[in-house]
Amino acid sequence: MQEQAQDDLITQAQAWLAEDPDPETAAELAKLIEAGDVTELADRFSGTLQFGTAGLRGEIGAGPMRMNRSVVIRAAAGLAAYLKAQGHEGGLVVVGYDARYKSADFARDTAAVMTGAGLRAAVLPRPLPTPVLAYAIRHLGAVAGVEVTASHNPPRDNGYKVYLGDGSQIVSPADAEIAGHIARVTTLDSVPRPSEGWLQLDEEVLEAYLTRTDSVLTPGGPRGVRTVYTAMHGVGKDVVMATFARHGFPTPVLVAEQAEPDPAFPTVAFPNPEEPGAMDLSFAKAAEVNPDIVIANDPDADRCAVAVPDNGGWRMLRGDEVGALLAAHLVHKGAEGTFAESIVSSSLLGRIAEAAGLPYEETLTGFKWIARVEGLRYGYEEALGYCVDPEGVRDKDGVTAALLVAELASELKEQGRTLTDLLDDLAMAHGLHATDQLSVRVSDLSVITSAMAQLRAQPPTSLAGLHVTSTEDLTQGTESLPPTDGLRYYLDGDYKARVIVRPSGTEPKLKCYLEVVVPVPEPSDLPPARTRGQEILDAIKKDLAAAMGI
C-alpha cells in the first residue's frame, strides 16, 4: 500500500513537471523525482497553497504547495474568471511587483493570463512600493489589482496580493469565490497566455502618486528634520527620496548597505524592522551622523518604522506609539472623519479620537478591514502599518506615513521638542498605554493549533496576578466584528489590561498582543509608570506562555 502511494506521488510530480513553464523549478522537481525523494515530494504535493484574503504567500519552489509560475498562472486564471463572472469583461487589471526572486516573472504571467482571458492588463514600470499599486488601481479606473510581494517575509518566500476596484484588498466572500475558480483550472494548457498585448506603464503613474502626496502635508510647514533612512533591501528608496525632495525636507542619509533592492536580504535575518537586529545598521549610521529620527520601510514599503534618540542610543518606537503620534498630529491639523484601528492595536487611538470628538471604529486585523471603514480619515495597525491618506491609498502606505512623521518631527523640532515629548503629553492626557507582544515563530503549524486548542479547553483564570474578568472567543464574532480565529481576555484591576491571541495570517507565527494602561497623575509619575507597565506586561507574557504550553 505504501509503495502504491509512493508511485502515485511520483506520477503526480511527473504530471506537474510536464507542464512547468519555469526551467528553474522544472529542474528542481526533476532532480527530486530522479532521487526518489518521497519525503520532500510529499511535502510539496500534500495539497495546494490556499488562496485567501491575504491572497497567496509561501516559499518559492516546485509543486502546488510552493510559490511558482504554475501556481501563479492558475491563481491569475481564477481571478480572471471571477472578474468576468462579476461583469468585468474587458476591464483593466493593474499589476505591480517588488524586487523579490521571481516577482517580475509572476507579474508578467499575470498580465499574460489577464490578456488571454479578454481583460486588459497594465504592469507598473518597474519594482515599486505596494502603495503605488494600490493608488494606481483607482487612478487608472481598474477593476482589480495584483501586487506580487511577500512584504517582510524571509528571502525564500513570495506572495500574491489581490485588490478589487475600490483599491482595497479582497475580503470574504470574494476570496472563496476566487479560490473556487482557481480550483476549476485543469491544466496550464487550458489557460491562454499570449506573449504580448498588455500595457507596460511608464513613469506617469508614479508621478501621479508623488503628486498625490502633496495632500498629506501642510503647505509651508516646517521641514527641518534630519533623517537616517533604510529601505531594508527593498523598493522604497527611490520613492521616499523623491517625496522628501519634492516637499523640501533635508535629504535623508541612507543606510548604504540596505539601500538597493536585493532579494537575498544579506544583512538581516528577517527583512522586517520589528525583528531583532534588523535595525542595527540604521542605528550605527545614526550614531555616526546624529540625525533627529531614523525611518525604515519594509521591503515593499507599505510599512514604516520610526526610531528616536534614547539615553545616548536609539529606540524603535512601537507601532502603537507611532500610530498615536500620527493621530495626535492629524487632530492638530484639523482632520475630520473616522479614526480606525484593528482590535490588536492600542486602545489609545480611541481615547484620542474621543477627546477630539471624532468617530472611532475597531476592525478585524488587516487593512483589508480598516480600509473599508465608512468615512475613514486615518487608520493604523500596530504592525507598523498606517493609512494617512485613504482617498489616495486605501491600504497601509509606508511612504506617506514617513512623510507625515517627518512633518510632525519638524514641527516639534521648531518648538524645541521631540516625538518622545509628545508621547509624554499623550500619557499625561490619557494614561500610559504600555503595549507588548509575545510572538512565537514555528516550523510546525500544529504547534499553533495545539496552543489555541489548549487555551480554549483550559482558559486562564488569571494573568500576572490579575483576574480574567471576561473571555471572548472571536470565532463566534461579536456585535461589531465578523468571526475570526482569536481569543480576547480582559483583566481585573486599575490597569485596564487586555490580551488578544491569534495565529498570524501571513507568517507561521502565533501572536499575542498585550496592553495595560497605567494612570499618570503628574509628570514625575511617568518613569515609575513605564516601569510598572513593563513589569505587568512581562508577567502576563510569562503566564500566557505557560497557559499555551509553549
Side-chain angles (χ1 to χ4, degrees):
M1 192 72 175
Q2 186 178 6
E3 187 175 333
Q4 178 63 49
Q6 291 181 3
D7 289 344
D8 290 346
L9 180 61
I10 295 293
T11 300
Q12 189 181 359
Q14 287 172 333
W16 184 275
L17 174 62
E19 62 174 18
D20 191 335
D22 186 332
E24 288 185 18
T25 51
E28 175 190 329
L29 185 54
K31 197 171 181 181
L32 292 173
I33 294 171
E34 184 180 352
D37 190 341
V38 293
T39 301
E40 183 66 21
L41 288 171
D43 182 50
R44 292 163 181 254
F45 286 85
S46 60
T48 58
L49 279 183
Q50 292 302 298
F51 187 94
T53 55
L56 294 169
R57 196 173 290 190
E59 184 177 346
I60 294 172
M65 286 296 289
R66 298 289 188 268
M67 281 295 297
N68 51 64
R69 291 183 60 196
S70 297
V71 165
V72 165
I73 289 166
R74 284 177 165 82
L79 173 60
Y82 167 81
L83 292 172
K84 291 165 73 173
Q86 296 294 310
H88 295 308
E89 180 83 41
L92 176 67
V93 179
V94 189
V95 185
Y97 58 104
D98 66 11
R100 283 179 176 266
Y101 296 119
K102 305 283 185 189
S103 286
D105 295 337
F106 296 166
R108 186 173 56 252
D109 282 332
T110 300
V113 171
M114 296 301 160
T115 304
L119 294 150
R120 293 177 296 126
V123 181
L124 293 187
R126 51 192 167 89
L128 287 168
T130 292
V132 177
L133 180 277
Y135 168 80
I137 294 166
R138 298 176 72 206
H139 173 66
L140 297 173
V143 298
V146 172
E147 176 71 14
V148 180
T149 181
S151 190
H152 56 274
N153 275 38
R156 64 181 182 272
D157 289 0
N158 212 328
Y160 199 80
K161 185 185 291 189
V162 176
Y163 298 76
L164 295 183
D166 63 355
S168 299
Q169 295 175 54
I170 56 168
V171 294
S172 183
D175 59 332
E177 292 174 16
I178 295 170
H181 286 290
I182 294 172
R184 287 191 282 276
V185 178
T186 52
T187 65
L188 294 194
D189 287 342
S190 70
V191 181
R193 303 195 307 278
S195 59
E196 58 184 14
W198 56 88
L199 177 64
Q200 188 71 39
L201 293 167
D202 58 23
E203 295 294 311
E204 183 280 331
V205 68
L206 178 58
E207 286 301 318
Y209 171 83
L210 295 175
T211 300
R212 177 68 205 182
T213 66
D214 296 351
S215 65
V216 173
L217 303 180
T218 302
R223 298 287 188 267
V225 71
R226 293 177 302 108
T227 306
V228 160
Y229 171 75
T230 178
M232 205 67 69
H233 297 296
V235 297
K237 183 201 73 174
D238 290 348
V239 180
V240 167
M241 297 296 275
T243 57
F244 271 60
R246 179 184 182 90
H247 298 293
F249 289 101
T251 302
V253 176
L254 294 174
V255 179
E257 301 93 327
Q258 299 174 336
E260 300 302 328
D262 187 336
F265 302 106
T267 68
V268 290
F270 294 97
N272 178 356
E274 292 182 296
E275 293 283 350
M279 295 292 289
D280 286 356
L281 288 173
S282 299
F283 296 158
K285 178 58 71 175
E288 180 186 323
V289 302
N290 193 31
D292 299 306
I293 57 173
V294 173
I295 290 178
N297 287 135
D298 66 336
D300 69 326
D302 64 350
R303 288 173 167 84
C304 175
V306 181
V308 296
D310 181 57
N311 293 322
W314 287 84
R315 177 174 76 89
M316 264 273 290
L317 296 181
R318 294 188 175 278
D320 284 320
E321 292 177 305
V322 177
L325 287 169
L326 291 178
H329 185 46
L330 288 169
V331 168
H332 172 68
K333 284 160 65 83
E336 295 182 357
T338 300
F339 281 21
E341 63 181 342
S342 63
I343 58 173
V344 299
S345 305
S346 172
S347 59
L348 178 55
L349 182 67
R351 292 181 171 88
I352 292 171
E354 182 182 18
L358 295 174
Y360 163 78
E361 277 196 38
E362 269 190 333
T363 74
L364 292 184
T365 308
F367 273 81
K368 57 184 175 282
W369 299 108
I370 294 171
R372 284 181 160 76
V373 168
E374 189 173 347
L376 180 68
R377 176 58 187 87
Y378 169 64
Y380 98 91
E381 191 158 69
E382 56 75 42
L384 309 182
Y386 315 95
C387 176
V388 303
D389 177 27
E391 287 305 304
V393 175
R394 292 190 178 180
D395 197 5
K396 54 187 177 291
D397 183 346
V399 178
T400 50
L403 277 181
L404 202 59
V405 166
E407 179 183 70
L408 170 57
S410 296
E411 286 191 9
L412 291 167
K413 182 178 180 179
E414 196 170 76
Q415 301 163 15
R417 306 180 75 234
T418 65
L419 295 176
T420 306
D421 293 327
L422 181 52
L423 284 172
D424 290 348
D425 292 348
L426 293 172
M428 291 291 300
H430 305 291
L432 177 72
H433 287 62
T435 60
D436 205 347
Q437 190 179 129
L438 173 62
S439 181
V440 183
R441 184 181 291 272
V442 301
S443 55
D444 180 359
L445 291 177
S446 68
V447 174
I448 294 176
T449 305
S450 297
M452 294 298 289
Q454 181 159 326
L455 285 175
R456 288 188 169 103
Q458 296 178 292
T461 56
S462 69
L463 295 168
L466 301 172
H467 179 63
V468 178
T469 56
S470 69
T471 300
E472 288 180 293
D473 189 337
L474 299 176
T475 56
Q476 308 303 310
T478 70
E479 286 185 9
S480 58
L481 299 171
T484 189
D485 187 7
L487 296 162
R488 180 161 56 180
Y489 306 102
Y490 291 98
L491 310 185
D492 196 12
D494 298 331
Y495 297 115
K496 301 173 185 172
R498 182 201 69 188
V499 175
I500 295 171
V501 184
R502 60 177 283 273
S504 170
T506 56
E507 298 179 272
K509 283 183 175 181
L510 180 63
K511 291 188 161 187
C512 310
Y513 306 85
L514 326 174
E515 179 178 58
V516 298
V517 184
V518 185
V520 185
E522 301 291 338
S524 60
D525 295 318
L526 270 167
R530 289 195 185 94
T531 300
R532 181 60 181 145
Q534 193 58 53
E535 288 173 350
I536 298 171
L537 291 171
D538 289 344
I540 291 174
K541 279 200 282 189
K542 182 179 178 182
D543 291 351
L544 190 59
M548 293 188 294
I550 56 175

